Amino acid sequence: MAFRIPFLKRKLKTEINTELSLENLPKHVAIIMDGNGRWAKQRGLPRAAGHKEGMTTIKKIVSKAVELNLEALTLYAFSTENWKRPKTEVEYIMKLPSQFLDTYLQELVDNNVQVRTIGDFSKLPEHTQKAVQTSIDRTASNTGLILNFALNYGSRAEMLDALKGIAHDVEAKRIAIDDINEELINQKLYTHFLNDPDLLIRTSGEVRLSNFLLWQVAYSEFYFTDVYWPDFDENEFVKALIVYQSRKRRYGGI
Ligand code: FPP
């Protein structure tokens, strides 16, 4: 409704003019990194250029997350649906983890970052698996930020896997039907090593979840921005965190 817009704008401005507090930071931030293709198109560049620049953004956001001592950052890098893209684009995206990790792995090690993944890792090209596995192994004893890449990830596939795992446990009489509860489902999801995201960010102006962490975002705060992922820098990230801090999380209470 038109008469609400000035109020919303004023509220957003006030929120953003506030400084970031080091208390009440989200522990786990999940990001749908969107808009690489449009960013490139806007500049008359091939889509690959957008993905390459998107990698630079990842470095900026990881550095900020380390500085702020966040517990976990989950980045949606490749969905189960992204295989539908042209072969050349998929091949390019699959080379990015090794490019990223070749130049950045030592910094991740030095910054106590733990690299993890969610998704069906086994279907990725071997060279991609190898690069990611090396970074997982080399950061396994780190205790700082969990940098979790969703690679060949789809939330419905994840839920299906969890359901099948539970059904097998029931069939084998390892558990009874009455043992099935939310905690058990959490343990069976790919994200069993993480708390649920406190904040979910999506860049590029799209306002949908695209099969990302559907179970886990039940009580997350959502932040949508028109900024394309390659332009989403530390300041944009801090802006999202400030907006998060202005929200009242009630978890269904009052
Ligand atoms: C969405 O933009 C972006 C992707 C599907 C790929 C994102 C991948 C990276 C940024 C690199 C991953 C790197 C590592 C280290 C795992 P889009 O192509 O959908 O943009 P569009 O909606 O504007 O076309």
Side-chain angles (χ1 to χ4, degrees):
M1 281 176 286
F3 65 87
R4 282 184 176 268
I5 290 170
F7 166 75
L8 281 176
K9 270 197 179 147
R10 202 169 55 241
K11 187 154 182 266
L12 198 63
K13 190 160 184 284
T14 320
E15 284 166 343
I16 289 163
N17 284 346
T18 321
E19 270 185 33
L20 182 68
S21 153
L22 293 181
E23 284 151 35
N24 183 31
L25 282 166
K27 290 188 173 76
H28 179 187
V29 179
I31 308 184
I32 303 177
M33 310 181 286
D34 198 7
N36 292 350
R38 278 163 285 167
W39 180 92
K41 192 171 178 211
Q42 217 175 39
R43 288 161 178 74
L45 298 169
R47 293 177 58 82
H51 296 315
K52 191 160 198 281
E53 196 58 31
M55 256 188 352
T56 311
T57 301
I58 295 181
K59 293 181 188 173
K60 291 178 189 165
I61 303 310
V62 170
S63 299
K64 198 71 196 175
V66 168
E67 184 192 317
L68 293 172
N69 232 349
L70 303 191
E71 274 178 20
L73 187 62
T74 294
L75 302 177
Y76 205 4
F78 196 83
S79 77
T80 45
E81 288 71 35
N82 286 152
W83 297 106
K84 292 181 208 150
R85 293 183 177 217
K87 194 164 170 266
T88 46
E89 182 170 343
V90 170
E91 280 171 2
Y92 185 81
I93 294 176
M94 289 300 156
K95 283 188 197 138
L96 291 176
S98 63
Q99 276 186 30
F100 174 80
L101 295 161
D102 278 354
T103 55
Y104 196 49
L105 180 56
Q106 191 55 47
E107 202 173 319
L108 295 176
V109 173
D110 295 343
N111 280 322
N112 199 21
V113 172
Q114 319 171 50
V115 176
R116 305 290 295 261
T117 63
I118 51 173
D120 188 354
F121 199 68
S122 67
K123 302 264 171 17
L124 299 173
E126 218 166 286
H127 65 90
T128 313
Q129 287 189 37
K130 208 169 148 212
V132 177
Q133 192 59 52
T134 305
S135 68
I136 293 172
D137 295 343
R138 280 206 49 207
T139 59
S141 58
N142 285 352
T143 53
L145 176 78
I146 297 174
L147 174 57
N148 180 35
F149 289 108
L151 280 168
N152 193 21
Y153 173 86
S155 189
R156 289 184 174 182
E158 175 187 36
M159 287 197 253
L160 266 173
D161 276 355
L163 279 173
K164 285 181 187 169
I166 291 170
H168 277 303
D169 286 349
V170 172
E171 194 178 50
K173 300 203 181 329
R174 282 189 288 272
I175 58 166
I177 286 181
D178 282 345
D179 294 331
I180 303 172
N181 55 26
E182 291 189 14
E183 188 40 45
L184 181 72
I185 294 173
N186 285 333
Q187 284 169 23
K188 294 284 183 185
L189 293 172
Y190 304 154
T191 49
H192 57 88
F193 57 93
L194 293 166
N195 292 314
D196 287 343
D198 301 291
L199 171 64
L200 173 99
I201 297 173
R202 182 169 190 151
T203 59
S204 92
E206 307 297 345
V207 186
R208 55 177 171 265
L209 288 176
S210 301
N211 203 14
F212 190 47
L213 303 175
L214 301 179
W215 168 275
Q216 297 88 337
V217 298
Y219 287 103
S220 305
E221 294 297 326
F222 289 1
Y223 177 84
F224 296 101
T225 171
D226 287 342
V227 175
Y228 293 149
W229 177 249
D231 287 330
F232 189 84
D233 58 9
E234 298 88 336
N235 288 335
E236 292 296 334
F237 188 39
V238 167
K239 222 193 264 184
L241 298 175
I242 291 170
V243 170
Y244 168 83
Q245 291 184 332
S246 74
R247 304 266 177 89
K248 300 266 177 297
R249 301 185 75 191
R250 289 194 290 270
Y251 301 95
I254 51 171

